[in-house]
Amino acid sequence: MMTQYKRIFAALDGGSTQEAVAKRAALLAHYNNADLLFGHVIDSVPYEANGIDFAALCRDGKENLERELSGVFKEIREDHDIKSVEFKVHAGRITDTLVESLIEPFKPDLVICGARGLSNIKYALVGSVSTFLIRNMKCDVLVVKPEDE
């Protein structure tokens, strides 16, 4: 028997797989009558010395993502088979903030993220969020590849 997912977290990264991640999360939430949380982290590292208003940065980031994915979000909000849907944007160090502020409090049984095409050098230096999630989450992790692969 296949596991039913009750709480699904989808990480949005602004990258090429973002729409595919949102659609896959919606489909799985629909078929599992699950709660769905979309989360995005704005990397605070480049801004830390500048005294930037992170609350405003998060608001702007959320508005931009809502606009970019407006069609997908509209369908999700109208889908009565998706138990609940939320969208949160936080600022911080990406993996720490993603896990500690977004994923762990939600307690998902499935995390969905996109695969990013990092160069080998960049991957060696900064790693990959998807690899981090696969290695560190206690629940299932689904990595969505770009549709052209």
Side-chain angles (χ1 to χ4, degrees), residues 7-104:
R7 301 175 67 75
I8 298 172
F9 178 87
L12 301 177
D13 64 5
S16 61
T17 59
Q18 178 172 266
E19 187 170 343
V21 167
K23 287 180 177 178
R24 187 73 51 89
L27 184 68
L28 288 165
H30 170 87
Y31 284 117
N32 286 277
N33 189 237
D35 294 306
L36 178 56
L37 172 60
F38 289 98
H40 175 73
V41 176
I42 296 173
D43 188 2
S44 65
V45 174
Y47 304 105
E48 285 175 349
N50 298 335
I52 193 146
D53 181 354
F54 286 112
L57 191 63
C58 289
R59 256 190 326 275
D60 292 346
K62 184 175 181 180
E63 287 173 9
N64 289 337
L65 287 170
E66 289 259 11
R67 191 172 37 257
E68 289 173 20
L69 296 170
S70 62
V72 178
F73 285 154
K74 182 179 185 300
E75 288 179 24
I76 291 169
R77 288 184 177 115
E78 292 172 353
D79 187 333
H80 299 293
D81 288 317
I82 296 176
K83 199 169 178 183
S84 70
V85 62
E86 285 186 83
F87 180 30
K88 296 182 179 181
V89 175
H90 288 215
R93 295 180 183 267
I94 293 178
T95 53
D96 294 342
T97 304
L98 185 64
V99 173
E100 294 168 12
S101 298
L102 294 169
I103 296 174
E104 285 179 350

Side-chain angles (χ1 to χ4, degrees), residues 107-122:
K107 297 180 174 62
D109 42 26
L110 176 64
V111 171
I112 302 173
C113 62
R116 291 185 102 173
L118 297 177
S119 69
N120 289 337
I121 292 170
K122 188 171 180 184

